[in-house]
Amino acid sequence: MQFLARDHLQSLLDVLIRSGYRCLGPQIRDGAIVFDTLTLVSQLPRGVRDQQSPGRYQLTDSDDPRYFLWANGPQALKPLTFAPREVLWKVERDTRGNLSFVETLPTPIPTAVIGVRGCDLAALQLQDQHFCYQDYADTYYNRRRRSLFLIALDCAHPADTCFCHSTGDGPDVQSGFDMALTELDDGFLLRVKSEKAKEIAAQLPLIEARPEHYQAATAQHQAAIAAQTRHLASRHLSEALFSQLDHPRWAEVAARCLSCTNCTSVCPTCFCHNQTEEASFDGKNSTHYRQWDSCFTSGHSYMHSFVLRDSALLRYRQWLTHKLGSWHEQYGRSGCVGCGRCITWCPVGIDITEEANIISGVSAHA
């Protein structure tokens, strides 16, 4: 590992931009931290902390010189690869009534994303498994995915709602990145994984990391683990959940659930979508869209004149058992990466760890 002084962080942005990348980094928009176009270090949320709890998210200022004092915001990498709404193809009718179909593939520009957390890298790997499956790879997703240069950041300040350590996806980053940073008081430990990252790093004013840098990083990592009080009872809850489909807790949580879809919108692994056709008024052409959907909507389980899951109880049970249970059959692991977003952004503060652990027989804060 090498070390990049805090005063030289701008050089990383400059090198990326010179190399042809559009830079995205954490910035404050509408009271939350999201990824947006980044050209200057001064745009980063210096000294900003996030306070998260069930149903609550707030940013506060401090005089700390660090730029990454926060855990996460509502936005993960998902919108950059799996577009919230996109055109898949267009259909045109000629004067003789013949139809022609035109595919509308995206043409993304190379994009460097700075500040990606371990939980979101794990989520991206799950999305890769789904959208890049063997002979059935999604071209739209793949084009965007291949355009990304990912600069990860070890999380040193988990929120009260985080539980990534119990899922094995944080707080440090392990894989799936091009370059990774560990923010310390005076700068950043830097490690590279891809050939592209080596080329970028070769142009930076790096120095050899000193023993005290490693010691500070290790202490910081252990403190981040200790700060996480929530956990899932196990990384494999499939049997425990599917054996409790009649547990009374399903009705209790359903009475609070608004079916608002916030949890699935902010979840970095959810990929439910629908497809719609929008025709022009003159009937000469139409456009076929794909857009995000949620298993919490009644329309998502509509099947030829009836709704399969016609209550909040059935919809919440489907989401939780699928996310923490049947994902193991499909992807070899749980669909939860412990980011805690569904807890923070739920208007009524439903806690996935509490519900899952109670239904499976283990307290959320044991």
Side-chain angles (χ1 to χ4, degrees), residues 78-310:
K78 184 169 71 173
L80 303 179
T81 51
F82 173 33
R85 178 177 167 87
E86 65 180 324
V87 177
L88 296 187
W89 66 76
K90 294 184 177 182
V91 186
E92 294 186 358
R93 186 195 305 273
D94 64 22
T95 55
R96 301 176 61 183
N98 297 317
L99 299 179
S100 61
F101 292 77
V102 180
E103 193 175 35
T104 56
L105 293 172
T107 54
I109 64 174
T111 300
V113 189
I114 301 171
V116 183
R117 305 300 187 175
C119 56
D120 288 342
L121 288 173
L124 184 65
Q125 290 175 341
L126 277 164
Q127 294 258 309
D128 286 350
Q129 281 185 264
H130 177 73
F131 286 102
C132 306
Y133 183 74
Q134 297 178 5
D135 296 332
Y136 304 98
D138 186 294
T139 306
Y140 299 83
Y141 177 95
N142 273 283
R143 285 198 173 194
R144 296 188 183 94
R145 176 68 178 91
R146 289 195 297 267
S147 72
L148 297 183
F149 180 88
L150 301 176
I151 302 177
L153 195 107
D154 292 325
C155 184
H157 305 278
D160 177 62
T161 50
C162 293
F163 54 100
C164 63
H165 182 61
S166 75
T167 66
D169 301 307
D172 59 330
V173 297
Q174 298 293 335
S175 61
F177 58 86
D178 293 287
M179 179 181 291
L181 304 174
T182 303
E183 186 174 28
L184 303 175
D185 286 337
D186 53 347
F188 302 86
L189 281 174
L190 183 147
R191 54 195 190 274
V192 298
K193 192 138 235 173
S194 69
E195 290 301 319
K196 292 186 294 183
K198 291 178 182 178
E199 294 173 6
I200 297 296
Q203 303 175 61
L204 299 176
L206 301 174
I207 61 173
E208 288 297 318
R210 299 191 297 271
E212 55 265 34
H213 290 142
Y214 291 104
Q215 294 166 6
T218 299
Q220 188 168 270
H221 173 63
Q222 294 301 322
I225 293 174
Q228 296 188 23
T229 57
R230 282 178 167 79
H231 74 279
L232 286 174
S234 168
R235 294 182 188 177
H236 200 321
L237 291 171
S238 183
E239 183 178 348
L241 291 174
F242 279 106
S243 67
Q244 298 291 336
L245 296 181
D246 295 321
H247 196 290
R249 186 70 179 191
W250 296 118
E252 294 178 29
V253 69
R256 290 178 282 141
C257 177
L258 304 177
S259 292
C260 67
T261 77
N262 265 21
C263 55
T264 55
S265 295
V266 297
C267 177
T269 67
C270 281
F271 50 75
C272 286
H273 62 272
N274 63 35
Q275 300 194 26
T276 60
E277 197 79 27
E278 295 186 7
S280 62
F281 286 112
D282 59 12
K284 294 181 179 180
N285 57 73
S286 67
T287 304
H288 191 88
Y289 290 94
R290 175 171 65 181
Q291 60 190 23
W292 289 3
D293 197 3
S294 171
C295 58
F296 279 91
T297 64
S298 59
H300 188 263
S301 63
Y302 176 81
M303 298 178 65
H304 190 60
S305 80
F306 74 97
V307 175
L308 182 63
R309 291 182 287 274
D310 60 358

Side-chain angles (χ1 to χ4, degrees), residues 25-37:
Q27 295 175 60
I28 299 174
R29 297 287 183 270
D30 299 320
I33 290 178
V34 299
F35 289 118
D36 206 342
T37 302

Side-chain angles (χ1 to χ4, degrees), residues 10 13-14 17 23 26-27 37-44 67:
Q10 181 64 46
L13 298 182
D14 295 340
I17 293 170
C23 291
Q27 295 175 60
T37 302
L38 182 68
T39 57
L40 299 172
V41 166
S42 58
Q43 295 173 272
L44 292 170
Y67 297 108

